Amino acid sequence: MIQGKTVEEWITDFPLLSSLIETEEVFWMNSKFGQFRTDQLPVGEQEITDASERWKRFAPYLMKAFPETKEMNGIIESPLVPIPRMKKYLEQTYKQNIPGSFLLKCDSHLPIAGSIKARGGIYEVLKYAEDLAITHGLITTQHDYEVLDSQEFRNFFNQYSIAVGSTGNLGLSIGMVSAKIGFQVTIHMSADAKEWKKELLRSKGVHVIEYTSDYSKAVEEGRKQALADPNCYFIDDENSLDLFLGYAVAAARLKKQLEELRVKVDQNHPLFVYLPCGVGGAPGGIAFGLKQIYQDHVHCFFAEPTHSPCMLLGLLTGLHDQIAVQDFGIDNRTEADGLAVGRPSRFVGKVMEGLLSGIYTIEDDRLFVLLSALIEHEQISLEPSALAGMVGAIQLATTETGQEYLTKHQLKDKWERATHVVWATGGKLVPRNIMNEYYEKGLWLAKNDLK
Ligand SMILES: *Cc1c(COP(=O)(O)O)cnc(C)c1O
């Protein structure tokens, strides 16, 4: 029995579940998606603006502490680039034309953490540091935050500790910045976390605790241990509004980049955004920010591995965090470690309920094939998770449900003028030898399995 019903009863109520249980690729249209209304949202424009201002206050600090951010004046942002050769590859492979612009948002190459987690994770650590320093009368918001990069402040922050549960990348982003600021930091890593991510963190003096179980357990343990220590701040990936706001800032930045590329987004020029989803915070925060700006002109889709479709399951059944993929015998085993989450964030699910257009799932093998193709055609290296968004436009164009979505929202005649943004969520820090293995695996699969 799952929440009072048998699997058969669940399938009768939600027929899509049978494909999900079989770990088949599916495309799901969110029936609760509707017209954008601001009154349903937990946070508004003001909070996002505040977050954006906070990032600006920290720019001098980031430039000093992380010289790689100097080039961008201490603003952690990633390029938005056209990938015409990859688009052509997709069109040929899937025998499907993709009209309009096809862009890659390279969060894979964000400074410091090399993943989308540089947005939320770093933001929350900085906010906590700022709160502490202000409460203790050490700075005001008028100060030049460059002073935070000093022995005096490191000694101060060293009295406090930070903890987080992670599948790898969130730990990496929080670990890197916390250690630099001076915090003591403990990362609770799930079994999926890659060895090199743990090693990198240990080399920075971060305390890494490993679990043999999945993400939800690592978070639970981390939360428990942090609660027992009054000087420990727990970054709660399942419920954090600050993380969410850190991610949401991406939207206004993307708008500026689209304008620079002279890409129009309006009534007649829809924007489609495809975001890989784990627990939901990163894609949720970004999609939320985009809806604030573009409202009904933006269509956000999440992408999940066929073995970890937690957000789809939570939204489909309306049970959010009260249900896990494992309840249905889905194993939550995927090479896409950033997406290896069996139970979604309730907070994010609730916010996205009316804002998200849909979710599709993708097989691991396909991620590797796409990974190799992107290296071949565009010389851009991503980690497997980050490829999940690549086939979003293809899914919309080739599945019955995708077509239904386009018809329902009168998008068919606008399809020619659409812009597609594939959100690439990680990859820069992957060691070369491991990236080579991924690449070879993708080539092999393309030749043998998935032709
Ligand atoms: C964390 C992560 C995601 C998804 O973010 P969530 O907040 O877990 O949904 C996607 N891709 C990569 C590479 C990640 O590390």
Side-chain angles (χ1 to χ4, degrees), residues 185-225:
V185 50
T186 303
I187 312 290
H188 299 265
M189 285 285 203
S190 65
D192 331 270
K194 300 288 182 220
E195 209 46 50
W196 66 267
K197 293 182 181 175
K198 297 183 237 179
E199 273 166 33
L200 181 58
L201 281 172
R202 290 195 176 109
S203 77
K204 307 277 173 193
V206 172
H207 187 204
V208 177
I209 301 183
E210 298 175 68
Y211 293 86
T212 51
S213 40
D214 82 347
Y215 164 87
S216 306
K217 183 77 185 164
V219 172
E220 190 188 319
E221 274 303 311
R223 190 185 283 125
K224 211 173 0 177
Q225 292 184 24

Coordinates of all heavy atoms in Angstrom, one line a residue, residues 185-225:
V185 N 32.9 23.5 7.8 CA 31.9 23.1 7.0 C 31.9 21.6 6.8 O 32.9 20.9 6.7 CB 31.9 23.8 5.6 CG1 33.3 23.8 5.0 CG2 30.9 23.2 4.6
T186 N 30.7 21.0 7.0 CA 30.5 19.5 6.9 C 29.5 19.3 5.7 O 28.4 19.8 5.7 CB 29.9 19.0 8.2 OG1 30.8 19.3 9.2 CG2 29.8 17.5 8.1
I187 N 29.9 18.4 4.8 CA 29.0 18.0 3.7 C 28.6 16.6 3.9 O 29.5 15.7 4.0 CB 29.8 18.2 2.4 CG1 30.5 19.5 2.2 CG2 28.8 17.9 1.2 CD1 29.6 20.7 2.1
H188 N 27.3 16.3 3.9 CA 26.8 15.0 4.0 C 26.5 14.5 2.6 O 25.5 15.0 2.0 CB 25.5 15.0 4.9 CG 25.8 15.5 6.3 ND1 26.0 14.6 7.3 CD2 25.9 16.7 6.8 CE1 26.3 15.3 8.4 NE2 26.2 16.6 8.1
M189 N 27.3 13.6 2.1 CA 27.2 13.2 0.7 C 26.5 11.9 0.6 O 26.8 10.9 1.2 CB 28.6 13.0 0.2 CG 29.4 14.3 -0.1 SD 28.7 15.1 -1.6 CE 30.2 16.1 -2.0
S190 N 25.5 11.8 -0.4 CA 24.8 10.6 -0.7 C 25.7 9.7 -1.4 O 26.8 10.0 -1.9 CB 23.6 10.9 -1.5 OG 24.0 11.4 -2.8
A191 N 25.3 8.4 -1.6 CA 26.1 7.4 -2.2 C 26.4 7.7 -3.7 O 27.4 7.3 -4.2 CB 25.3 6.0 -2.1
D192 N 25.5 8.5 -4.3 CA 25.7 8.8 -5.7 C 26.9 9.7 -6.0 O 27.4 9.8 -7.1 CB 24.5 9.5 -6.3 CG 23.2 9.0 -5.6 OD1 22.6 8.1 -6.1 OD2 22.8 9.7 -4.6
A193 N 27.3 10.5 -4.9 CA 28.3 11.5 -5.1 C 29.6 10.9 -5.7 O 30.0 9.9 -5.3 CB 28.6 12.2 -3.8
K194 N 30.1 11.6 -6.7 CA 31.3 11.1 -7.4 C 32.5 11.3 -6.5 O 32.6 12.3 -5.8 CB 31.5 11.8 -8.7 CG 30.3 11.7 -9.7 CD 30.3 10.3 -10.3 CE 29.2 10.1 -11.3 NZ 28.4 8.9 -11.2
E195 N 33.4 10.3 -6.6 CA 34.6 10.3 -5.8 C 35.4 11.7 -5.9 O 35.9 12.2 -4.9 CB 35.5 9.1 -6.2 CG 36.4 8.6 -5.1 CD 35.7 8.4 -3.7 OE1 34.6 7.8 -3.7 OE2 36.2 8.9 -2.7
W196 N 35.6 12.1 -7.1 CA 36.4 13.3 -7.4 C 35.8 14.6 -6.7 O 36.5 15.4 -6.3 CB 36.6 13.5 -8.9 CG 35.4 13.9 -9.7 CD1 34.6 13.1 -10.4 CD2 34.9 15.2 -9.9 NE1 33.6 13.8 -11.0 CE2 33.8 15.1 -10.7 CE3 35.3 16.5 -9.5 CZ2 33.0 16.2 -11.2 CZ3 34.5 17.6 -9.9 CH2 33.4 17.5 -10.7
K197 N 34.5 14.6 -6.5 CA 33.9 15.7 -5.9 C 34.2 15.7 -4.4 O 34.5 16.8 -3.8 CB 32.3 15.7 -6.1 CG 32.0 16.0 -7.6 CD 30.5 16.0 -7.8 CE 30.2 16.2 -9.3 NZ 28.8 16.2 -9.7
K198 N 34.2 14.5 -3.8 CA 34.6 14.4 -2.4 C 36.1 14.7 -2.2 O 36.4 15.4 -1.2 CB 34.3 13.0 -1.9 CG 32.8 12.6 -2.0 CD 32.5 11.2 -1.4 CE 31.9 10.4 -2.5 NZ 31.6 9.0 -2.0
E199 N 36.9 14.2 -3.1 CA 38.3 14.5 -2.9 C 38.6 16.0 -3.1 O 39.4 16.5 -2.3 CB 39.1 13.8 -4.0 CG 39.5 12.4 -3.6 CD 39.9 11.5 -4.8 OE1 40.6 12.1 -5.7 OE2 39.7 10.3 -4.8
L200 N 38.0 16.6 -4.0 CA 38.2 18.1 -4.2 C 37.9 18.8 -2.9 O 38.6 19.7 -2.5 CB 37.4 18.6 -5.4 CG 37.5 20.0 -5.8 CD1 39.0 20.4 -6.1 CD2 36.7 20.3 -7.0
L201 N 36.8 18.5 -2.3 CA 36.3 19.1 -1.1 C 37.3 18.9 0.0 O 37.7 19.8 0.8 CB 34.9 18.7 -0.7 CG 33.8 19.4 -1.5 CD1 32.5 18.7 -1.2 CD2 33.8 20.8 -1.2
R202 N 37.7 17.7 0.2 CA 38.6 17.4 1.3 C 39.9 18.2 1.1 O 40.5 18.6 2.1 CB 38.9 15.9 1.3 CG 37.7 15.1 1.8 CD 38.1 13.6 2.2 NE 36.9 12.9 2.7 CZ 36.3 11.9 2.1 NH1 36.8 11.5 0.9 NH2 35.3 11.3 2.6
S203 N 40.3 18.3 -0.1 CA 41.6 19.1 -0.4 C 41.4 20.6 0.1 O 42.4 21.3 0.3 CB 42.0 19.0 -1.8 OG 41.2 19.9 -2.6
K204 N 40.2 21.0 0.2 CA 40.0 22.4 0.6 C 39.7 22.5 2.1 O 39.3 23.5 2.7 CB 38.8 23.0 -0.1 CG 38.8 22.9 -1.6 CD 39.6 24.0 -2.2 CE 39.8 23.8 -3.7 NZ 40.8 24.6 -4.3
G205 N 39.9 21.4 2.8 CA 39.7 21.4 4.3 C 38.2 21.2 4.7 O 37.9 21.4 5.8
V206 N 37.4 20.7 3.8 CA 36.0 20.5 4.1 C 35.8 19.1 4.7 O 36.5 18.1 4.2 CB 35.2 20.6 2.8 CG1 33.7 20.2 3.0 CG2 35.2 22.0 2.3
H207 N 35.0 19.0 5.7 CA 34.7 17.7 6.3 C 33.6 17.0 5.5 O 32.5 17.5 5.4 CB 34.2 18.0 7.8 CG 34.0 16.8 8.6 ND1 33.2 16.7 9.7 CD2 34.6 15.5 8.4 CE1 33.3 15.5 10.2 NE2 34.1 14.8 9.5
V208 N 33.9 15.9 4.9 CA 33.0 15.1 4.1 C 32.5 13.9 4.8 O 33.4 13.0 5.2 CB 33.6 14.8 2.7 CG1 32.6 14.0 1.9 CG2 34.0 16.0 2.0
I209 N 31.2 13.7 5.0 CA 30.7 12.5 5.6 C 30.0 11.7 4.5 O 29.1 12.3 3.8 CB 29.7 12.8 6.7 CG1 30.5 13.6 7.8 CG2 29.2 11.5 7.3 CD1 29.6 13.8 9.0
E210 N 30.3 10.4 4.3 CA 29.7 9.7 3.2 C 28.6 8.7 3.7 O 28.7 8.2 4.8 CB 30.8 8.8 2.5 CG 31.9 9.7 1.9 CD 33.0 8.8 1.4 OE1 32.8 8.1 0.4 OE2 34.1 8.9 1.9
Y211 N 27.6 8.6 2.9 CA 26.5 7.7 3.2 C 26.3 6.6 2.2 O 26.7 6.8 1.0 CB 25.2 8.5 3.4 CG 25.2 9.4 4.5 CD1 25.7 10.7 4.4 CD2 24.7 9.0 5.8 CE1 25.8 11.6 5.5 CE2 24.8 9.9 6.9 CZ 25.3 11.2 6.7 OH 25.4 12.0 7.8
T212 N 25.8 5.5 2.6 CA 25.6 4.4 1.6 C 24.2 4.5 1.0 O 23.8 3.8 0.2 CB 25.8 3.0 2.3 OG1 25.0 3.0 3.4 CG2 27.3 2.8 2.6
S213 N 23.4 5.5 1.6 CA 22.1 5.6 1.1 C 21.9 6.8 0.2 O 22.9 7.5 -0.1 CB 21.1 5.7 2.3 OG 21.7 6.5 3.2
D214 N 20.7 7.1 -0.2 CA 20.5 8.2 -1.2 C 20.4 9.6 -0.6 O 20.6 9.8 0.6 CB 19.4 7.9 -2.2 CG 18.0 8.2 -1.6 OD1 17.9 8.5 -0.4 OD2 17.1 8.3 -2.4
Y215 N 20.2 10.6 -1.5 CA 20.2 12.0 -1.1 C 19.3 12.3 0.1 O 19.7 13.0 1.0 CB 19.7 12.7 -2.4 CG 19.3 14.1 -2.1 CD1 20.2 15.2 -2.1 CD2 18.0 14.4 -1.9 CE1 19.8 16.5 -1.8 CE2 17.6 15.7 -1.7 CZ 18.5 16.7 -1.6 OH 18.1 18.0 -1.4
S216 N 18.0 11.8 0.1 CA 17.1 12.2 1.1 C 17.6 11.8 2.5 O 17.5 12.5 3.5 CB 15.7 11.4 0.9 OG 15.3 11.7 -0.4
K217 N 18.3 10.7 2.6 CA 18.9 10.2 3.8 C 20.1 11.1 4.3 O 20.2 11.5 5.4 CB 19.4 8.8 3.7 CG 19.9 8.1 4.9 CD 18.8 7.7 5.8 CE 19.4 7.2 7.1 NZ 18.5 7.1 8.2
A218 N 20.9 11.5 3.3 CA 22.0 12.4 3.6 C 21.5 13.7 4.1 O 22.1 14.3 5.1 CB 22.9 12.6 2.3
V219 N 20.4 14.2 3.6 CA 19.9 15.5 4.0 C 19.3 15.3 5.5 O 19.6 16.1 6.3 CB 18.7 16.0 3.1 CG1 18.0 17.2 3.7 CG2 19.3 16.3 1.7
E220 N 18.6 14.2 5.7 CA 18.0 14.0 7.0 C 19.0 13.9 8.1 O 18.9 14.5 9.1 CB 17.2 12.6 6.9 CG 16.3 12.3 8.0 CD 15.7 10.9 7.9 OE1 15.4 10.5 6.8 OE2 15.7 10.2 8.9
E221 N 20.1 13.1 7.8 CA 21.2 13.0 8.8 C 21.9 14.3 9.0 O 22.1 14.7 10.2 CB 22.2 12.0 8.3 CG 21.9 10.5 8.6 CD 21.7 10.3 10.1 OE1 22.6 10.7 10.9 OE2 20.7 9.7 10.5
G222 N 22.1 15.0 8.0 CA 22.8 16.3 8.1 C 21.9 17.3 8.9 O 22.4 18.0 9.8
R223 N 20.6 17.3 8.7 CA 19.7 18.1 9.4 C 19.7 17.8 10.9 O 19.8 18.7 11.7 CB 18.3 18.0 8.8 CG 17.3 19.0 9.3 CD 15.9 18.8 8.8 NE 15.7 19.1 7.4 CZ 15.2 18.3 6.5 NH1 15.0 17.1 6.8 NH2 15.1 18.7 5.3
K224 N 19.7 16.5 11.2 CA 19.7 16.1 12.6 C 21.0 16.5 13.3 O 20.9 17.1 14.4 CB 19.6 14.5 12.6 CG 18.8 14.0 13.8 CD 18.5 12.6 13.9 CE 18.9 11.6 12.8 NZ 18.6 10.2 12.9
Q225 N 22.1 16.3 12.7 CA 23.4 16.6 13.3 C 23.5 18.1 13.5 O 24.0 18.6 14.5 CB 24.5 16.0 12.5 CG 24.6 14.5 12.6 CD 25.8 14.0 11.9 OE1 26.8 14.6 11.7 NE2 25.7 12.7 11.4

